[in-house]
Amino acid sequence: SWRGHTRTNRPQSQSMSSSPPPKPAGQEEDHAILLSCPSTTVARSSTSWKHDSHRFGPQHALDSGTDAAWKSAPSDGTEPNYYEVIFGRSVEVRDLRIMFQGGFVGVDCTVFTKTTDCQEEWEECEDLFIDAEDSNEMQVFEVDSTVMPCVSMRIEFGRSTDFYGRIVIYSLEVWGRAVEIAHS
């Protein structure tokens, strides 16, 4: 399952990208890498504020070096807002790091994946629940168990802490490793 914790005491002026989390004693070092680089990853979302994807589109959450953000349009609650990361290769996710704008946090989250580019339906990741806090701090959600390789990930936000259902993400980082798929 995903375990959430908040990283505190980090000055705003520091880069939002950080190093992979330390491994528990006795485990091999497997060198987690940032899988959600803007140069190799595509981001999609359910909506963008005022339909302006140039200024508020999902790609802004992947570029953690800027002050830009993905801002969703208001939601009436009938359809959940979502954010998708298409990796362009098979990956194994180790942790997900999200920096929301306080007051505009997506909560009651469900994570879905696709294991191949050809797959039409999203598969829900059992026991992978993101329990985000209403905070401006970077929040880290670690994978407790091995997750099967995926080529894309979707986070659905059941609701928002904002009265109008808006969500703002300043940074979204996916850490893990690229995996090779055995061909038979």
Side-chain angles (χ1 to χ4, degrees):
S1 67
W2 294 92
R3 273 193 333 253
H5 66 276
T6 305
R7 184 171 298 155
T8 56
N9 299 328
R10 199 177 86 220
Q12 285 295 90
S13 61
Q14 284 185 344
S15 168
M16 289 185 244
S17 291
S18 55
S19 61
K23 289 288 173 197
Q27 280 192 1
E28 266 182 45
E29 182 64 35
D30 62 5
H31 303 290
I33 61 169
L34 180 62
L35 300 171
S36 53
C37 295
S39 61
T40 60
T41 306
V42 175
R44 294 185 189 147
S45 65
S46 51
T47 63
S48 292
W49 178 249
K50 298 184 179 185
H51 304 288
D52 188 349
S53 60
H54 180 70
R55 289 181 44 212
F56 306 114
Q59 70 279 5
H60 294 297
L62 296 181
D63 184 8
S64 59
T66 70
D67 290 335
W70 169 59
K71 299 179 182 183
S72 76
S75 172
D76 62 7
T78 57
E79 292 290 321
N81 274 312
Y82 64 82
Y83 189 95
E84 295 176 0
V85 181
I86 297 91
F87 299 106
R89 63 198 185 281
S90 188
V91 301
E92 219 175 62
V93 176
R94 300 296 168 89
D95 71 61
L96 178 65
R97 304 169 191 196
I98 306 175
M99 181 182 283
F100 292 99
Q101 178 175 330
F104 298 88
V105 175
V107 293
D108 296 339
C109 304
T110 307
V111 178
F112 297 88
T113 61
K114 288 186 180 180
T115 55
T116 67
D117 291 329
C118 308
Q119 185 177 343
E120 301 221 2
E121 298 295 319
W122 291 96
E123 293 179 32
E124 184 175 347
C125 295
E126 295 296 323
D127 300 322
L128 299 181
F129 185 76
I130 298 172
D131 187 18
E133 297 176 11
D134 191 354
S135 166
N136 292 333
E137 298 295 325
M138 178 71 84
Q139 299 180 53
V140 180
F141 306 96
E142 297 175 351
V143 178
D144 285 339
S145 60
T146 303
V147 175
M148 60 190 294
C150 66
V151 295
S152 54
M153 171 187 284
R154 178 179 180 144
I155 304 164
E156 285 190 2
F157 305 99
R159 61 187 181 85
S160 170
T161 58
D162 173 53
F163 178 78
Y164 297 103
R166 297 168 294 185
I167 298 169
V168 178
I169 297 178
Y170 280 97
S171 177
L172 188 140
E173 299 177 354
V174 182
W175 287 83
R177 67 183 187 98
V179 295
E180 301 231 0
I181 302 295
H183 297 285
S184 341

